[in-house]
Amino acid sequence: MAEDRADTRTRTVIPQAIVRPPTAAAEDEAAAFLARHPEVEGIDIVLVDANGIGRGKTIRAHELAALYRQGRFLPGSILGLDIAGEDVHETGLVWDDGDADRVAWPIPGTLVPQAWTNPRRAQVQLALHELDGSPSPADPRHALLAQDARLKAMGLTPVGAFEIEFYLLDRQRGADGRPRAAALPLTGEQPQTTQVYQLEPLDRLEPFVADVYRAAAAQDLPLETLISEYAVGQYELTLHHHADIARAADDLVAMKRLLRGVAARHGMIACFMAKPFADRVGSGMHLHASLNDPDGSNVFADAPDGSLSPLLLDAIAGLLDTLGQGMLVAAPHHNSWRRFASQSYAPTHATWGINNRSVAVRVPASGGAARHLEHRMAGIDANPYLVGATVLAGMAHGIAGRLDPGAAVTGNAYDAPAGEGDVPAPASWAEAIAAAARSDFLAEALGLRMRDVLVALKRAEHARFARAVSELDYALYLETV
């Protein structure tokens, strides 16, 4: 009889139940938000990939509770996309596991309204986890959290704030077909000259700036000083510091989304290329960082005699010692490397100094209990989570090894003679990719899996550029060779 026959079929094992990670936002956050914001019709759910690009979906308001209750399935390959959004199979995140789903969970405190949208939408940032609740190693935010935990295990809590430089460009290109600075909305005039620190351009940006600050207030985003920077159409914004370094990076991600959204509605492009113009300065992402002890006191604070803290000097030495190995994080794209030029306010040497903007690691003039360091190497096109992870790892490296940074540079660091270890190696994007692939420091700072995913993505991006035939190729070679 049929029931007496042995079943020789392969046994199918049902996958384990989904495990909710302890870091996921509480379920009641969603209900409380919708009660406060009944006007919200949709929510952008945002997962930041290795390139710093927010990817995800727009869900309807009635789907939000389920996201908070059970997470949202997303393919692991979403973290294996290149800058153009195409699969990079070498990441191991595509067909190696059949493009398997992971689970994205909302990050606490990141569910906020997008005040510039109509009908009104909100946004929430996500972190990707494996089905068992463990962090997905290719999610860059987890790399920053791991380095934060490493320093906390040493009794030190990272405190950080980002400042960013960016260009506001017109959606309509100039007569030469090239991007041009955005017209000032109050007067319609086209900026023509560099007016660093001038207030009139900011005044004539008023409709845009007012919308930016209103949208930031709606998101409880700590935007602070706005500056007219050192190029036509370039600006700088700062964020208030956090004793939660991951939240500081979350704020930067949210700020870039906000600037893009508001700019688009004013006929502008908020441009976060490191070097959009050959004859103008590039745009940086500066991380201001310090460390607190268990009592909340700043261990980088000046000594009673006014001298710099030994721990601050150790941290600076660690950053300089590891700077070369982290260059692919600080300068991740082809365009990134155009930013490093003499007299450009972008560092070109692995140097440090006090109250000196020509160095890679600056100790700002504000001292005493507020003393901190400023890491100036990264461009605005870098991923803030990966930048934060490498900065924290470099600081920990210097503190653990009690390293010596050497003498501070005084005067113009661009004119400083290059000595051994003085100029950051690698010196090009291709060299940076190769160096990252063999870097033990980067494997420790980001996690081996994250490092290898980053390298695979950058190799694919580099190959895309190598294949491309540019307008300059035609201009130089079309009829001359």
Side-chain angles (χ1 to χ4, degrees):
M1 297 184 59
E3 58 267 24
D4 295 329
R5 292 188 310 209
D7 191 343
T8 60
R9 292 175 294 181
T10 301
R11 182 167 176 263
T12 301
V13 178
I14 299 173
Q16 63 186 17
I18 306 302
V19 176
R20 180 189 185 87
T23 53
E27 292 184 43
D28 59 4
E29 185 178 290
F33 177 83
L34 291 178
R36 292 194 307 272
H37 298 282
E39 75 281 6
V40 167
E41 298 183 14
I43 300 95
D44 295 347
I45 61 175
V46 184
L47 177 67
V48 178
D49 69 8
N51 284 307
I53 297 173
R55 303 190 186 275
K57 305 178 180 183
T58 299
I59 64 174
R60 305 299 291 168
H62 70 268
E63 299 178 86
L64 188 63
L67 170 68
Y68 274 73
R69 184 173 59 252
Q70 61 201 39
R72 185 88 177 202
F73 286 119
L74 288 176
S77 60
I78 199 171
L79 295 178
L81 301 174
D82 68 9
I83 195 75
E86 296 184 8
D87 288 335
V88 176
H89 304 289
E90 291 78 7
T91 61
L93 294 169
V94 189
W95 301 121
D96 286 19
D97 62 4
D99 195 16
D101 276 338
R102 275 76 171 175
V103 186
W105 294 90
I107 296 169
T110 63
L111 177 58
V112 290
Q114 295 182 147
W116 60 90
T117 57
N118 184 26
R120 183 74 74 237
R121 298 199 314 277
Q123 70 183 36
V124 63
Q125 289 177 226
L126 307 175
L128 201 65
H129 291 258
E130 303 301 314
L131 303 188
D132 64 2
S134 62
S136 290
D139 183 334
R141 192 175 190 272
H142 294 312
L144 177 54
L145 289 174
Q147 293 304 319
D148 181 60
R150 176 187 176 190
L151 278 162
K152 285 177 177 173
M154 298 167 64
L156 300 168
T157 296
V159 177
F162 288 94
E163 66 180 45
I164 70 167
E165 297 160 346
F166 62 100
Y167 280 85
L168 286 176
L169 305 179
D170 202 308
R171 288 227 156 250
Q172 301 298 318
R173 296 199 176 193
D176 60 357
R178 307 285 291 176
R180 60 180 181 173
L184 301 176
L186 200 64
T187 60
E189 67 191 282
Q190 198 82 40
Q192 300 294 328
T193 59
T194 298
Q195 296 292 354
V196 63
Y197 285 98
Q198 191 176 15
L199 293 172
E200 280 73 12
L202 300 184
D203 179 56
R204 293 164 192 175
L205 269 176
E206 183 183 273
F208 168 78
V209 173
D211 283 351
V212 165
Y213 280 109
R214 273 195 293 268
Q219 295 190 348
D220 197 24
L221 194 60
L223 261 62
E224 295 193 327
T225 306
L226 176 66
I227 299 169
S228 181
E229 257 294 353
Y230 195 62
V232 181
Q234 189 187 42
Y235 303 90
E236 178 186 281
L237 265 172
T238 60
L239 287 155
H240 192 67
H241 65 272
H242 271 295
D244 178 346
I245 195 71
R247 187 56 189 268
D250 294 339
D251 283 350
L252 192 151
V253 169
M255 181 165 72
K256 288 176 73 172
R257 281 181 57 80
L258 184 156
L259 288 169
R260 279 200 174 104
V262 175
R265 286 155 179 80
H266 282 268
M268 304 176 185
I269 297 170
C271 175
F272 302 112
M273 286 177 66
K275 183 78 167 177
F277 300 98
D279 57 349
R280 303 182 200 173
V281 296
S283 295
M285 175 199 295
H286 301 161
L287 175 54
H288 294 253
S290 59
L291 298 170
N292 284 351
D293 66 17
D295 295 326
S297 298
N298 178 14
V299 301
F300 287 175
D302 293 346
D305 64 0
S307 61
L308 294 181
S309 158
L311 282 176
L312 172 60
L313 294 173
D314 292 345
I316 292 170
L319 290 172
L320 298 180
D321 192 50
T322 58
L323 187 145
Q325 295 184 69
M327 282 301 293
L328 186 61
V329 169
H333 307 295
H334 179 269
N335 179 259
S336 308
W337 292 80
R338 302 188 188 280
R339 175 172 159 262
F340 302 118
S342 182
Q343 325 297 326
S344 68
Y345 290 98
T348 57
H349 293 61
T351 50
W352 78 280
I354 301 169
N355 194 18
N356 189 331
R357 286 183 170 83
S358 62
V359 296
V361 181
R362 170 181 175 244
V363 178
S366 58
R371 184 70 76 188
H372 64 279
L373 62 82
E374 178 189 12
H375 185 273
R376 297 174 57 82
M377 209 71 201
I380 188 52
D381 57 342
N383 183 315
Y385 299 113
L386 299 184
V387 170
T390 54
V391 168
L392 295 192
M395 291 165 60
H397 168 71
I399 291 170
R402 301 187 67 180
L403 302 184
D404 180 2
V409 169
T410 58
N412 187 353
Y414 295 113
D415 291 338
E420 184 178 356
D422 196 27
V423 177
S428 71
W429 189 32
E431 290 181 21
I433 295 169
R438 59 178 183 267
S439 170
D440 292 335
F441 166 74
L442 213 55
E444 180 181 32
L446 307 183
L448 179 60
R449 189 78 177 94
M450 182 73 254
R451 183 203 70 175
D452 290 348
V453 166
L454 177 66
V455 168
L457 293 173
K458 296 299 110 180
R459 282 174 171 160
E461 189 177 339
H462 185 274
R464 183 185 289 269
F465 271 95
R467 292 192 302 268
V469 179
S470 70
E471 288 301 317
L472 186 58
D473 282 271
Y474 294 129
L476 293 179
Y477 310 127
L478 188 64
E479 295 189 74
T480 58
V481 296

